[in-house]
C-alpha cells in the first residue's frame, strides 16, 4: 500500500468514525418525546428527570447500540461472504440465501403452531436454517 493510499484510508476511517460518534450522540435524542442535547447530557451525567432518564436508558440507548451492532454484523457477514466466494458482487439475494430464509419462515408460518425453545422462536430458527 502506498503512502498516499494509506493516508486516504486513514482519512476515510477517521471521517467514518466521527460520523459514527455523531450518530451515537444524536440518535438517542430522536423519538416521540423530544429530549434536547442539554437535557440528554444532564440526565446522563447527573441527577435528571426520572421520566427522561428512563426513556434514555431503557429505550433509546439500547435501540442505538442494537442498530450499531446489527449494522456491524451485517457488514462483517457481507465481507465474509464476498471474500469466501471471491466475488465482490456476492450478496444474499443473488445467491439465494435470502429466498431460502423466506421459504423456511413461510413454511413455519403455514404449518407450525407458535412455539419457542430457549427464547428462540420456531420462525427465527427456520429462517436461519
Amino acid at each position: 500500500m502506498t503512502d498516499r493510499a494509506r493516508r486516504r484510508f486513514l482519512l476515510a476511517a477517521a471521517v467514518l468514525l466521527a460520523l459514527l460518534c455523531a450518530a451515537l450522540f444524536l440518535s438517542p435524542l430522536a423519538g416521540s418525546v423530544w429530549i434536547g442535547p442539554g437535557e440528554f447530557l444532564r440526565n446522563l451525567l447527573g441527577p435528571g428527570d426520572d421520566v427522561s432518564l428512563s426513556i434514555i436508558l431503557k429505550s433509546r440507548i439500547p435501540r442505538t447500540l442494537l442498530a450499531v451492532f446489527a449494522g456491524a454484523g451485517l457488514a462483517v457477514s457481507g465481507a465474509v461472504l464476498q471474500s469466501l466466494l471471491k466475488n465482490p458482487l456476492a450478496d444474499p439475494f443473488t445467491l439465494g440465501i435470502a429466498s431460502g430464509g423466506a421459504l423456511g419462515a413461510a413454511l413455519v408460518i403455514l404449518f407450525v403452531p407458535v412455539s419457542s425453545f430457549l427464547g428462540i422462536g420456531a420462525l427465527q430458527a427456520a429462517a436461519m436454517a
Side-chain angles (χ1 to χ4, degrees):
M1 181 182 278
T2 66
D3 191 43
R4 183 172 183 231
R6 185 174 313 191
R7 273 189 270 131
R8 286 184 66 193
F9 174 77
L10 290 176
L11 177 65
V15 168
L16 290 174
L17 184 63
L19 286 173
L20 177 65
C21 290
L24 283 173
F25 178 73
L26 295 175
S27 177
L29 304 179
S32 60
V33 176
W34 170 252
I35 297 175
E39 185 180 356
F40 175 70
L41 288 174
R42 198 171 33 254
N43 279 310
L44 285 182
L45 300 176
D49 183 24
D50 288 340
V51 175
S52 296
L53 185 63
S54 177
I55 290 172
I56 291 169
L57 292 179
K58 292 184 180 178
S59 177
R60 294 192 181 171
I61 288 180
R63 175 189 66 189
T64 301
L65 293 177
L66 184 63
V68 168
F69 290 135
L74 288 171
V76 168
S77 65
V80 166
L81 192 64
Q82 290 176 351
S83 66
L84 183 69
L85 298 174
K86 294 181 177 69
N87 182 356
L89 299 177
D91 72 345
F93 297 101
T94 58
L95 296 174
I97 297 170
S99 301
L103 174 67
L107 291 174
V108 166
I109 289 171
L110 287 174
F111 299 116
V112 177
V114 177
S115 65
S116 69
F117 177 70
L118 296 176
I120 299 172
L123 182 65
Q124 292 86 355
M128 283 295 282

